[in-house]
Amino acid sequence: MEKPQLSCKLGILSRPDGSAMFCEGETTVIAGIYGPVEVKMQKVINDKASVECSYRPKSGLPGIEDRLYESLIRNICETSLMASLYPRSAILITLQEMHDSGQLISCAINAACLACLQSGIDMKFMFGAVTCFLTKEEVISLMPPISKSDVKALFVFVFDNAAGRIIASHTEGSFSEEQYKEALNLGREESKNVFIFFKKTLVGINSC
Amino acid sequence: MNLMCILYSVVPTYQPAQKSQNKVRLSQVKVFDNNFKRRNMAEEYKSLHPIKYYRDCLAHDIRPDGRAFDKFRPVLLNIGSIDTTDGSAIAKVGKTTIVCGIKAELCKPKADTPNQGFVVPNLELPPLCSPKFRPGPPSDQAQVLTQLIADIIENSKCVDPKDLCIYPDKLAWCLFIDFVCLNYDGSLIDACIIALVGALHTLTLPSVDYDPSLDNKLVNLEDRKPIPIHSTLISTTFVIFDDKIILADPTVDEENYCTGIVTIVLKGDELCCVHKPGGSPITEDDLFDCIDKSKLRSPLIQNLIKTALKQK
């Protein structure tokens, strides 16, 4: 099955503690992470670090639709990071959309994971995201259809690398339970490739 | 005119064992005293070690409010509650109360979608509904939930924006769907979606005579027609407690102490949203178990909505 080409560059920014540019097909996102840093008084949590995420679209100001992505990525990072090791501090994750050809959410999540890995912050497990598309002809694929109007439904799955369990699921459009199951299995298989890619990136095989 | 319909009740009642008459006085006083002490201790325990309190409760296969893990709270729906709106409903799921009102306004369609109207949902979480919220601009949670509701409406296509167009490129309806939470006790999306479906079914729009050459519009407020509703949505929320226990229809405390949340929205037999925004990872079996449970609940809520509509 055809699948989007993954590519990545770690540490492209000098100021953040960890940064990564991640491409999934043509979709590209830059992620930067600061942490643990000083936390705002209102957001202090006594027994763990507060994780914050801000997402910036390609043009214009972040709108209300970006809040949903922010909260999704924040929740995923909060689960995966060992936040209890850094009490009374903050971990800030910033994402900048560069180009979107359909897999924006999964690309942003993968970029966030690589930035976390590069920053050296403690994590419980890695997380990898995969986008599956259901076309109008009821075919499930990993490649985005050429025209956006051909997409009947879109699934984003986030898995952990430890047990392959589902951390997050985000769907758009309507679909049957069987289609969901099929997309989930396809996503799980593909997530293994994503984790292999992450590991290769970290040991420097994929560096461009 | 508006009758309330209660679907089903799962509130257990505690019935003390019958005592023989001659012993009543002393023993009743004692029982009362003991219960009082026990309740006080439970409350102290709950406020001092909330998570441990929940863990201990759940270890005995029961939730603090007396429900089993997969039981839902009673649902209440009242439709057409507000006269000044074009469509309205009040939904209660347990103690969670949502008022939904739809106001239709005339507007000009966007240039790239000339034959479509707009649907603009907005969820308000005032400080009245929970101490978590402060007065001022909408909280993050309100914004996220508003967007989730907007996504659900768009994904399910329960209202087709094309039905809202009056004259292409000139005039269309914009539906402002406002939700106000009066009491926040968990499963907010479930209550919002029930209220939304109820309100959409009572929605009527006045007919509009539009003359494009003069850009003259005449609204006949007397002649009102309902809009086509293409599907009935049913939402069900689950929480994951301590990475393994799955609780259906959580209360606000369960939502606060849980480690993950899953919202499933059904549209007839189809799924239109499986939303798990992070939180503790779950296995595929657990996820499909949740989908099955929400499929079992869906006909009950559909019946409730049908009954409410009939009684109107």
Side-chain angles (χ1 to χ4, degrees), chain A residues 64-65 67-68 71-72 75 79 152 165-169 171-175 177 180-181 184-185 188, chain B residues 140 143-144 147 151 155 267 270-279 281-282 284 287-288 291-292 295:
Chain A
I64 189 164
E65 61 270 29
R67 295 277 173 197
L68 191 65
S71 87
L72 184 75
N75 278 332
T79 327
K152 189 183 171 226
R165 288 173 305 175
I166 306 152
I167 303 176
S169 153
T171 62
E172 286 169 21
S174 54
F175 44 87
E177 195 182 333
Y180 184 74
K181 208 175 252 179
L184 187 63
N185 287 332
R188 169 161 315 171
Chain B
D140 270 358
Q143 291 184 39
V144 168
Q147 184 56 35
D151 279 355
N155 292 340
K267 169 186 135 186
E270 281 198 315
L271 291 160
C272 76
C273 175
V274 182
H275 187 73
K276 183 180 183 306
I282 58 168
E284 199 177 320
L287 187 63
F288 282 101
I291 294 178
D292 288 341
K295 278 193 169 167

